[in-house]
Amino acid sequence: MLKITFLGAGSTVFARNVLGDVMSTPALQQCQIALYDIDPQRLEESRQILETINRNVNQSRALIQCYLGVEHRKEALRGAQFVVNAIQVGGYEPCTVLDFEIPKKYGLCQTIGDTLGIGGIMRALRTIPVMEDFARDMEEVCPDAWLLNYTNPMAMLTGYILQNTGIHMVGLCHSVQVCSEQLLQQLGMEDKLEGRRELIAGINHMAWLLSITDREGNDLYPEIRRRAKEKNATQKHDNMVRFDYIDKLGYYCTESSEHNAEYNPFYLKSHYPELIERFQIPLDEYPRRCIKQIKGWKDDSANLLSDAHLTHQRTSEYASHIMEAMITNHPISIGGNVLNTGHLIEDFPQKACVEVPCLVDGSGIHPTYVGSLPPILAAMNMTNINVQLLTMEAARTRKREDIVRAAMLDPHTAAELSIDHIAAMVDELIEAHGPYMAMYQ
């Protein structure tokens, strides 16, 4: 029987989406689902909700089992064909709060802090040791399984595991498949959605919409550039940073403006505070979302748990589509995060983790060659890749000095702080994180 293991199953909403997709897909419905988490309450909530969906959508054809705690992790993984990772090490409290509040003392503002910047570095360094344990268990009990990673920082985690373990892995993001659709909708070009063709490549959260044409093959970028510049000049909206990218760099990128505001030295600048309002940048956005989600979950969970008629419709998340393509050998194309082996993108080192189109079929996931990017886009990506590679190195060596070096190369951090202040901030963060960062000396 097909076995799917979900690591971090206490992420109930996401587990519901991915595993609800599985139970809505005929080729996957007869399966064993192993739910793993370290939080007993959230694990049980997920089990109850998924059992309801299994009855209502899947005629109870899936066998759902729970595994609580590290001591049961190997059994959760044993014999799995697919492993989905959606963990968050350290949670909102204490770790996310520390990632934002300590840098703020040094004058360093952030918006999301889960991909790059000092917040992304810290999140990677406390998550990589846990994921490496996952990978070692997989090498022992399910060596042929595919690990589908949804946890951020995507490039650092995926890159590290692919470089340092022997498992099959791909990193998956939500932003690639909705990138051009949302762009055209925001610019009033909905009539161009059907039949459009596009190419997206780069790195996670900063992959580029390199080309986009309508159904007749006409280039849509000239009109996109005109409308985006006009909208930024005449309206306040929540996508102003990315539209400024179109104006200044010539291309649109996959991830939101609140994310991209902190991946460069351009917008969050203490000497230019007016840029915050000008580009509608929401500082401390991720903690605000966490507070809202934690508060909202109390009501949402009660409603979901009491809904005996709970159902599900398949989403656009890649996971179930990848599983289906591999099981049935019916090929699909996805945007996946993989190592740049063979220089899929010519401009980047082979150890970089890139986001490129990939073919998925019965024999696995096959990244495609992209070639060279426009020089300005490659340069933008490399400022982020430098930090990613140095953070991976710090995770390998477990040395504080390597963490400081990664932070020194971060575009936003370096633009705001001296090296001495960067080092002091890193020391304070490591100390404050306690057991989550105790391995770094």
Side-chain angles (χ1 to χ4, degrees), residues 105-399:
K105 288 168 50 180
Y106 290 82
L108 198 61
C109 296
Q110 299 176 91
T111 54
I112 304 295
D114 74 349
T115 297
L116 208 73
I118 192 62
I121 291 169
M122 290 295 129
R123 181 179 281 232
L125 292 172
R126 65 178 178 264
T127 306
I128 283 172
V130 178
M131 286 191 62
E132 191 164 17
D133 286 344
F134 291 171
R136 299 306 175 200
D137 285 352
M138 289 178 65
E139 287 175 332
E140 180 181 341
V141 302
C142 56
D144 297 323
W146 275 90
L147 176 57
L148 311 181
N149 179 50
Y150 278 97
T151 296
N152 284 322
M154 179 63 64
M156 298 184 200
L157 302 183
T158 305
Y160 183 92
I161 297 300
L162 286 172
Q163 283 185 38
N164 294 282
T165 77
I167 65 169
H168 306 295
M169 181 181 186
V170 65
L172 303 173
C173 187
H174 319 281
S175 59
V176 175
Q177 58 264 55
V178 299
C179 173
S180 65
E181 178 182 6
Q182 292 180 351
L183 172 63
L184 294 176
Q185 289 171 342
Q186 289 168 358
L187 294 177
M189 298 173 66
E190 293 89 347
D191 61 312
K192 304 299 182 183
L193 286 170
E194 189 176 348
R196 71 191 185 282
R197 300 287 181 89
E198 63 191 40
L199 173 62
I200 295 175
I203 61 172
N204 179 243
H205 284 187
M206 198 191 278
W208 306 100
L209 181 62
L210 296 170
S211 64
I212 179 168
T213 60
D214 65 16
R215 71 187 73 170
E216 280 84 34
N218 299 306
D219 185 5
L220 295 179
Y221 250 128
E223 184 63 11
I224 288 171
R225 293 183 179 113
R226 186 190 71 78
R227 293 194 186 201
K229 186 169 186 176
E230 180 182 350
K231 186 167 183 175
N232 261 17
T234 59
Q235 300 178 35
K236 293 292 186 183
H237 58 94
D238 62 4
N239 209 16
M240 298 190 76
V241 168
R242 282 202 287 176
F243 282 14
D244 201 46
Y245 272 15
I246 296 174
D247 183 42
K248 303 301 191 302
L249 309 178
Y251 296 84
Y252 191 63
C253 79
T254 48
E255 190 49 77
S256 65
S257 284
E258 62 265 25
H259 273 275
N260 271 273
E262 63 183 7
Y263 300 163
N264 56 66
F266 306 140
Y267 303 101
L268 297 177
K269 303 174 77 69
S270 57
H271 290 293
Y272 299 88
E274 69 275 8
L275 294 175
I276 304 295
E277 182 179 354
R278 176 181 168 187
F279 288 100
Q280 299 290 288
I281 298 171
L283 299 180
D284 297 331
E285 174 64 13
Y286 186 68
R288 190 158 46 246
R289 290 180 189 176
C290 289
I291 293 169
K292 182 178 179 181
Q293 288 170 353
I294 291 168
K295 183 179 179 180
W297 177 244
K298 293 180 180 179
D299 292 333
D300 291 344
S301 62
N303 292 334
L304 289 170
L305 289 166
S306 63
D307 185 359
H309 303 289
L310 186 65
T311 186
H312 182 82
Q313 290 187 335
R314 197 177 187 186
T315 73
S316 63
E317 293 291 355
Y318 280 138
S320 70
H321 298 275
I322 290 171
M323 297 176 196
E324 181 183 29
M326 288 194 188
I327 294 296
T328 64
N329 196 28
H330 291 158
I332 62 168
S333 176
I334 66 165
N337 289 270
V338 297
L339 286 184
N340 195 37
T341 304
H343 293 291
L344 301 168
I345 298 181
E346 293 280 0
D347 315 276
F348 305 152
Q350 296 198 70
K351 288 185 176 181
C353 182
V354 295
E355 194 165 69
V356 295
C358 300
L359 176 70
V360 185
D361 62 16
S363 60
I365 297 177
H366 315 285
T368 63
Y369 173 81
V370 174
S372 290
L373 303 183
I376 184 60
L377 304 187
M380 284 286 291
N381 283 161
M382 274 307 306
T383 66
N384 285 222
I385 289 171
N386 289 333
V387 181
Q388 293 162 2
L389 293 177
L390 289 170
T391 302
M392 290 183 234
E393 176 67 3
R396 187 188 67 81
T397 66
R398 305 288 174 93
K399 292 181 178 179

Side-chain angles (χ1 to χ4, degrees), residues 63-76:
L63 173 64
I64 300 174
Q65 297 173 303
C66 289
Y67 298 83
L68 175 66
V70 175
E71 65 273 20
H72 296 117
R73 189 173 64 214
K74 280 187 184 179
E75 283 309 307

